[in-house]
Each structure stands twice: as C-alpha cells, then as structure tokens.
Amino acid sequence: MRIASKRLTKELVELRNQGPPEGTAILLADDLKEWRFSISVLGESLYKGQTFGLRFRFPDNYPMESPEVIFMTTDGFKPPVHPHVYSSNGHICLSILGNEWSPVLNVSSILLSIQSMLASCKELKHPPDDERYGRHAPMSPKDSRFVYDDDSV
Amino acid sequence: MSSSPQATGQGNDRQPSASSSSSNAGSSSPSTSFNQISNVDRSAIIYTFPSSGGGGRGGEDDTLADPPLPSSTTNSNPSSTERPSRKRPPGYKVTVRDLRNKSCWICSEEEEEGAVVEEGQEQRDHRQTSSSTQGRSPRRGGSEGGGSRKRFIHACKCTLVAHESCLLAWIEQSRKNRPLEDKVSCPQCKSDYVLLESRPVVLRLLEVGDKILSRLVPIGSATVVVSTLLIGSTAYGCLAIRAFLGKKVASRILADPWPWHFWFDIPLIPFLLIGGRLRILGNAFTWLPTLVALPLTQIPLTGRRGGGGGVFDGWIPSSQRQAYHQPHHFDRAFSTSLNDYPPSPAMMILLVPWLRALYNNLKRRVYRAVLAPLLSKSERRRYHLDDDVEGGGGGRTMGRRGGRRTRRRVIVVGGEDNYLMDGTHPGGIDEDDGEEEGTGQGQGQGPQQGDDEDQVQSETIYVTHQSFGRLCLGSLSLPFISNLMGKILSKFASRSIWLSRLLGMRQGRLFASGGGGGIVKAGAGAPKSPLGLLFSGGRGDGREVQSSSRIWNLDSNSTGSTEQATPPHLLQREEDEENVWFRNALGLATFIVLRDSTSLLFRYLKLKQRRMTRIKDLPFDDRLAEGLDLR
C-alpha cells in the first residue's frame, strides 16, 4: 500500500505538472483510488472528433498489479465501437492491462496505448462475442480471462 | 546478466571496507578516490557516472516510469564536468552503486545524490560477499521496517534499476500471474532475472514432501470417497443378505473368514439392485448372473474338498444318496432329500433372471392388453414404441416398420413431475406412468413423431429427484420387503399345510417324505466355507447343529413317527431358519406381483378417469336468459 500511494502520488504530480499525453485530459483525480480521463484520438482516424471517458481504478498492490481500466459508460460517455471494446460495459481487451502488465508501465503509457489502439483501428465493429460477454461479464474486467488473440488492431 | 556486476561489486566492496567505516559508505560503492568527491566536511558526496554512457539523472527531469536514459541527463549536473570515470582503471565494472541518481522502476521512489544512505550498508554488502544469499530476507525486512533507504539493484541488461524488495515483490506477483513460466524476466529487455536462492537441505526436503502431498491429495480423497461407498454398500449388502436369507444363514455366510470375492460381491449388491431396474441394463441382467453364478458356485468347493461334494449336491440325488449312505460324513449331514424341492440359492440365482424376463414379458402383454383401449392413437403408438425399446419382443413392431434400429436416448434431468420413464418397466415403481405418457411425455415425443419417418427412435427419459428417489429406494428396500413378505407368508404357512409345503418348510416334510428323513449326524466339524453351506442349502451353525442333531438323533432312535414327538416349536424354529431365503423369495415374488397389479390398477383407473372426465354443463342465469336469442 505504501508503494502504491507513493508511486501514484508521483505519477499524479507528473501528470499535473507535465500534463497527460496529448489528446487526453484529467477529469477526476481527487484520490489515489480512481482517476478519470477523457481521451480522443489525434490525427486521422475512425474516431475523429469523438471523445471517450476512461476510468482507472488502482488496486492496493499497484503497480504489481495492473489498474482496472474501462471506457466510461456514464456521464454522457459511450465506449467506442471497437473490436476490443465491449459496448455494454466498456471493458477493454488489451493485453497490457492483463497478462502483459508490468510495473514499467504507468497511467500515462496506458493512455498512449489506448490511443494507439483506437488510432490503428480499421473497422468500426463490436467484438465478436460482444452480446454474450455483456450478459455474463464480471463487474471488473480484471476478473475476465481474455484471450489476446488479435495483434493486428 | 547481473552475475558479473555482482562479482565485481563484491570485489569493489571488499577493498574499501576497512577504511570506510564512516557513515557515508552507502549504496554507491565507496571505491573512494575514483568516483567520489566530497566536501571537506563530507556533508555532501558526489557520485559520478562511469564513462560507459551512464550518467546521473537530474531529479527534475526524469520521467517516472520511463527507464532512466542516462545519456539524456548527463549534462544536467554541473559537477559532471569532472568526470572521474576516465580515471577508472581499465576493467572496472560499473555497478548500481556507481549511479548518481536512481529511481526504482517499480515504486518510482528516487534516491538522489547526497542522500543519506542507510547505515550498515557496507556491512551488508560485505555480508553478501561472504554468503551472498542467506541474509537476504532479513536484510530486506530490516530495511523496510527501518524506513530508511532500500537497497537498489540492477538485475538485467537494460538501465532499469529497482529496489531489491520491490523487484522481489514483482517477481512474486509475476510468478502468480504466469505460473507456467519458471523464469521471470525484465519487462523491458526481456533478460531473465537471476535469483540467488539458497535452500537448505531441510527446506528442499520439505518442498519435495509438500509436492508429493499435494499430488496425493486427489488420490487420497478419491480413496476416501470410494472406501466410504464400499463400506456403505458392503454394510447394505450384509443387511440385505441378512434380511433375505434369515439371520442364521446370514451369520453363517458372513462368518469371519470372508473369501476374497465377498469383498466384491457384497458391495455390488445395492448397485445390482438399482441397476437391475434400469432398462438399459435389463438385458445384461438376464444373462450376467448366469455367467457369474456358475463360477461362484464352484468356489465353495475349496472349503469342503474333503467331502468331494459339489455345489449342487444338495439337490443332486446321487450325491444325496451317497450322503445318505455315509451318515458320518459331517459335511453332508443335512443333505436330505427334502432339499430337493426348494431349489438351492445357487439354482435360484441362475433361474431368477430368466423368470424375471419371462414375467416382465408377460406383464408387458397384460399391461398393453388392459391399457391400450384407453389410450389415444398417438399414445398407443408411443406405448408400442416404448415396448419396443424395452427389448424382448420389441423387434416385431420394428420389423413391421422395416426401419433401421437407430435408437437415440435423450436424458432430461429436471422437469416438473415426470417420473423416470425408463427405470420402470411399465408401471414398475411408477404409478403415474400411464398418465405421464398422456401429458408430459406427449410433448417430449413431439419431435419423435417426425423421427419415426426416418426410423430413428428417440426416447426421452425424464430424471427427477422424485423418480430417482423412487428408483433407488424401491430397489434398495426389496430385500427388506422380501423379508417382511416372507414372514407374512410363514405366518400363513403355519395355518396352511399346502402353503408350508410350497414354501419348503420342514413341516411339509411330514407329508412329503415318507421315509426320507432321519439321517442326521451333525458333528463338531462344521463346514469351513460359509458360502458352501449357502449353496448346499444346508446349515452349519454350531449351536444349531447341536440342537438339530439332538432332534434327529431322537428321531432315529425312536425310528419312525418321531417328528411329532419333537417339540414343535423347536422344530419350527429350525426349519424356519433353513428355508428362509426361499420363503423370502416367494414373498418377494408375491410382492412384485401385487405391486404390479396395483400399479396396473392405478394406471387403469387414472386413464379411465381421464376419459371419463367431463365438464359440468350449467344453465344460463335467469336474467341472462332473457336477453338471449332463444329458439
């Protein structure tokens, strides 16, 4: 817990001082439990002009464990239509949020990764098992076992 | 890998350890004059970076998560003009202790130059040189607990440095996340971390033991479950034998040295009882006992080889005659001609399945004859189908259809109140069978009607708690029911001579055997194999033998009509025990017939009632009638 709060404090200081990556903005970072960001994709992309909300929740043993990151479905935000984003709950199937996570990564690099995930999308479509997952998904995406099969997007 | 810096670090440490007892030693190695510049009062110590491109990072501009990129930050420090690195001797290996500023890539805590280093660092380094591993965990705990600086470590090929404690925590977490990979590597440069683990022999032994234990757990639990089942079913089997054969015979059979196969036969009893009710196994159950019983009947011979008798000598006349002429042959003492009539249990085992098949066939015909007129056409068809599936004479109907005999069983678990359709021979334990065929089953058969055209039989079997319970309890209670029925029969038999003769009770002998009896010479040499006794239809319980020999001696002494002289209650008791099993078998048969008749009656009445059900026709209310258009 000490490590988590120390590191999150540092990350937050840095995000406030230097600003989050371009295209993203802090919506809420009052404590070290949950942060919210708005995110939009720079340049030409399928999501041009759209802004999405991201919610970060940090486990007690962050950064040993990855934060829980989802696209917000509240506050007027809707998750993007993307093959790796589940429409009903905003869960993201992204390997660095799961088994590829390592403490080298941080909030800022997650934001960048999600930006690039959106930017490289070629086709606006939902995940193949969107409906089924939406019905059975656990509250937190960290409790799902994603199979990271598609590296192209 | 980290091993080489480690080695040089050790060498490095050793050199100054004598001189640098002062508190400034710290995480950067005090290879003093090369890389350390201090004020006069030693309040500030500047550590410089070696020439290999490394550089101290200014605290102000390094990003938290990015690995330290030394080259970009070298110039930030004004003191970097004096780069003592050039003064390093050739071959000097730079270690993490040479870094000016360090930031743990895990907790992003930084350690800047000039910071107060932890006391005793030197000692710890020294300790590591001597025994590089053993002191690790206490050291870690100590550093965390003290709140002072933690030890930095460089464990891979890239520039990432981390607290040893953080890295250990991450390695632990990483192993949890990916239990299949035994190596943990740096997320950036992918080089494996080298862990210096020293496991004392005891720990290693304990770990091996732990592994073995964890492998044994499933086997152990399986053993427990199986043995529980085995014990339970053995107990049930013994109870069933006791109920069916009578207490005395049972106590003889189950007397102490059990032949090895008892441990298989007896636990099998409950399963066979239940399995026998299932139509799937029905066919097997007609011939299987024949196969099993035949060899079984041979086994008891071993116990009485001396006698040279066979299993069937109880009712093979020649052997009987032999026994008769050798009155001192203990084992044969009870092989009287009386045993002719009640067939021996072995014979029963052989015969019963066939009798059962015969009976079921008959029952099916009767059921069909009685119930068919009450069923609608489709239901009748269904009913015939059902018969087909039941085997036996079913081929006829199928033959008429001339189709392939493709059979599909669909087992549905659940359902409202459909009882097990399959486990019951028509109306077996399932009184509602007929009704169900009309209602729930009709729906289940919906797809089947279409299938019929393709000559595919599909059979839907509904399994519910109710039906399963009925099946199991019905099967398992059979021995006890037969016991009860046997008792009732024997009650009747005491009134009716014919019945008692039918039951093979000894009383009947008064009438059946003119001069047959009176040959008993029971001795102390009771037969050894209890099963042999079972199959010879005899008895060998010592006490019983004694008493009965008394009777029979009396009999032979007084030559002739001594039976009347024998105390009747004693005689009664003896004979009672002797043919209990046959009595019970007949009782069971009676029960089954009664049960099936009841079930048939029930179904008949239900079906009839369904046909008879009408809805009451009501006249219109007077006020309503006024407004109606009437004729």
Side-chain angles (χ1 to χ4, degrees), chain A residues 2-3 6-12 14 18 61 63-65 98-106 109, chain B residues 60 62-67 105-110 144 147 150 160 166 169-170 173 177-178 187-188:
Chain A
R2 238 181 80 225
I3 295 180
K6 250 186 215 168
R7 175 160 158 161
L8 283 170
T9 314
K10 286 219 167 196
E11 287 195 36
L12 190 56
E14 201 166 310
Q18 304 178 2
N61 56 348
M64 302 302 168
E65 228 180 84
N99 61 4
E100 302 266 297
W101 166 261
S102 82
V104 177
L105 302 163
N106 57 16
S109 60
Chain B
E60 68 276 3
D62 59 357
T63 51
L64 283 164
D66 284 348
W105 64 270
I106 291 171
C107 69
S108 68
E109 198 178 335
E110 292 170 47
E144 275 175 346
K150 297 178 226 169
L160 290 180
C166 292
W170 164 243
Q173 178 73 29
N177 294 349
R178 276 167 276 190
Q188 182 139 307

Side-chain angles (χ1 to χ4, degrees), chain B residues 13 25-26 80 88 90 105 139 192 203 228 246 285 356 409 414 428 465 490 530 550 567 582 598-599 611 625:
Chain B
D13 292 341
S80 63
R88 289 177 200 276
W105 64 270
R139 184 170 64 230
D192 290 340
L203 177 61
T228 308
F285 269 81
R356 204 192 73 147
R409 274 178 203 271
H465 306 296
S490 77
R550 187 156 42 84
F582 187 66
T598 315
S599 148
R611 294 208 127 198

